[in-house]
Amino acid sequence: QVQLVESGGGLVEPGGSLRLSCAASESLLGFYVMSWYRQAPGNQRELVAALYSDDSKVYAGSVKGRFTISGDHAKDTVYLQMNSLKPEDTAVYYCNLDRGSSVYWGQGTQVTVSS
């Protein structure tokens, strides 16, 4: 059972930046996809960004150019750098690991963008 531990959420003013981290409890080998999802109150959970084991990346249109997903294979950690934050980015952000046969979720971290 892989555990995903997220950190880095908080309160930031519009236009500010935050970096989220997601650390896996074991080494990531073979095929996998590490993703960030978010869920705002009253909304469905949506994909924000995904990092594949071949280092390819996918972004939601609403965050493209503002958010960057990256990975540190030595630390089994994935990051989400969020710049130019907007109030509509406010949500609980979840880390997700998809190994094809198994899917794991982190506990979520709150991001609030407000003045």
Side-chain angles (χ1 to χ4, degrees):
Q1 182 80 4
V2 178
Q3 294 188 351
L4 303 175
V5 180
E6 301 136 335
S7 60
L11 173 64
V12 64
E13 293 186 348
S17 299
L18 282 174
R19 189 176 81 155
L20 305 182
S21 300
C22 173
S25 60
E26 61 183 60
S27 295
L28 300 175
L29 301 173
F31 170 80
Y32 64 85
V33 186
M34 288 282 283
S35 305
W36 287 97
Y37 285 75
R38 68 185 180 187
Q39 188 168 18
N43 290 356
Q44 290 187 334
R45 193 171 295 189
E46 63 176 0
L47 176 69
V48 176
L51 174 65
Y52 288 75
S53 47
D54 64 358
D55 283 337
S56 59
K57 302 172 184 180
V58 172
Y59 294 96
S62 59
V63 307
K64 197 172 292 185
R66 299 188 297 122
F67 292 10
T68 302
I69 190 168
S70 62
D72 185 334
H73 295 290
K75 297 181 179 179
D76 300 308
T77 299
V78 172
Y79 304 97
L80 185 68
Q81 178 67 43
M82 305 185 294
N83 299 328
S84 301
L85 283 160
K86 305 175 181 180
E88 51 263 43
D89 295 317
T90 295
V92 178
Y93 284 69
Y94 296 91
C95 181
N96 171 281
L97 170 61
D98 185 344
R99 281 181 152 168
S101 58
S102 303
V103 177
Y104 305 93
W105 290 93
Q107 79 283 0
T109 184
Q110 176 70 46
V111 171
T112 302
V113 184
S114 175
S115 55

